[in-house]
Amino acid sequence: MKRKMLTKGIPVMLMLALVLSLSTAAWARGFGRGPMNLTPEQASQLFDLKQKFMNETADLRKAMWVKRAELAALWKAENPDSKQIVAKQKELNTVRGQLQEKMVAFRLQARKICPQMGKGMGRGMGMGHGMGMGRGMGMAGGGPGMGMGPGCGW
């Protein structure tokens, strides 16, 4: 009986190992968004631009983490106050909007360096890959992403 269970478990374990190895490999290389046809100058410029963006948005990203934690605490209350929750959600949305404005400027600047960047792509690096936000920003994080997609850089 024990031997029969072990024999049945082997294919399941092999399948699980395969799925995990493939997903890890895909995550590690950014789901195929590796550098493509970048000159050393473009690579350097994109790296510097990304560093500048990350430095300039550090306070906004931190504020989002704090606001999410505050919102979560409001929801955990025994009797959640809807007015406080709505107000906190509005605060979070304001910070998110500010970050998205900076993201647009960043992406437009990146496309000047690498014109093929962002063409024919969906969301880019989700918050789980690269610069993601919270449930999306890859730091990052998961959820809606803010990456470049295929082509240049990431």
Side-chain angles (χ1 to χ4, degrees), residues 1-153:
M1 178 74 154
K2 213 176 202 184
R3 187 166 197 185
K4 203 178 227 185
M5 286 175 53
L6 285 175
T7 307
K8 287 182 180 180
I10 291 174
V12 172
M13 293 301 284
L14 288 174
M15 184 63 86
L16 180 61
L18 178 64
V19 168
L20 288 175
S21 67
L22 290 176
S23 63
T24 303
W27 180 84
R29 70 173 185 276
F31 296 99
R33 285 178 280 225
M36 299 174 85
N37 303 321
L38 279 181
T39 66
E41 182 180 330
Q42 284 176 315
S44 176
Q45 289 174 339
L46 286 172
F47 180 86
D48 291 343
L49 183 64
K50 181 180 177 186
Q51 278 304 125
K52 181 181 173 193
F53 172 80
M54 295 303 288
N55 293 338
E56 289 177 354
T57 60
D59 289 339
L60 289 173
R61 288 181 283 114
K62 179 180 177 182
M64 285 187 64
W65 278 90
V66 170
K67 301 250 180 253
R68 280 193 200 106
E70 292 169 348
L71 185 59
L74 290 171
W75 276 105
K76 288 178 185 174
E78 193 163 318
N79 294 313
D81 182 337
S82 65
K83 288 182 182 179
Q84 287 183 338
I85 290 172
V86 168
K88 189 59 66 179
Q89 184 65 56
K90 285 180 181 179
E91 290 176 25
L92 178 60
N93 290 343
T94 298
V95 175
R96 183 178 288 128
Q98 293 169 349
L99 183 59
Q100 288 176 343
E101 287 176 18
K102 292 201 177 271
M103 206 181 329
V104 167
F106 164 76
R107 292 180 73 182
L108 289 171
Q109 196 64 28
R111 283 193 62 180
K112 288 179 183 176
I113 296 168
C114 180
Q116 70 267 31
M117 184 174 290
K119 293 185 179 179
M121 54 144 223
R123 295 181 125 170
M125 300 185 298
M127 226 23 144
H129 309 87
M131 295 184 314
M133 282 187 304
R135 299 176 324 148
M137 271 185 81
M139 306 256 338
M146 56 175 230
M148 295 320 141
C152 296

